Amino acid sequence: MKVGLQGGKISSQPPLSTPLREQKLLDIKLRQLPAWIMKRDFSPGGIIKAFHRGYDAYYNKYIDVKKGGIGGVSMVLAAYILLNYCAAYKEFKHERRRKYH
């Protein structure tokens, strides 16, 4: 992504020569969304690569930093708790309706 001046304003739009496949989701226009989705790789290998890129981005942003805190690890823990709660909600709901035991 190239940051530059356009008409006196700072623009964070990618240059027009960047292929649609290489642009990030936040850099595309709404009308380009269907074409961008169709250019994604939905094979098992492509999905694994996408998860790996996401893990690498998360690790580099929150875990592998000079002055790291508990923020990155606490986000993973919060997501784990939320997913487990969603998975066990049916049992929690059933237990809630019992009055005494």
Side-chain angles (χ1 to χ4, degrees), residues 89-101:
Y89 181 74
K90 196 172 192 178
E91 288 106 29
F92 289 152
K93 185 176 161 184
H94 180 69
E95 293 288 328
R96 182 179 61 198
R97 296 192 186 270
R98 293 183 184 173
K99 192 164 187 176
Y100 294 107
H101 54 80

Side-chain angles (χ1 to χ4, degrees), residues 66-84:
K66 284 185 180 179
K67 291 188 174 182
I70 192 136
V73 177
S74 64
M75 278 192 279
V76 172
L77 182 62
Y80 175 74
I81 291 170
L82 183 67
L83 287 174
N84 279 332

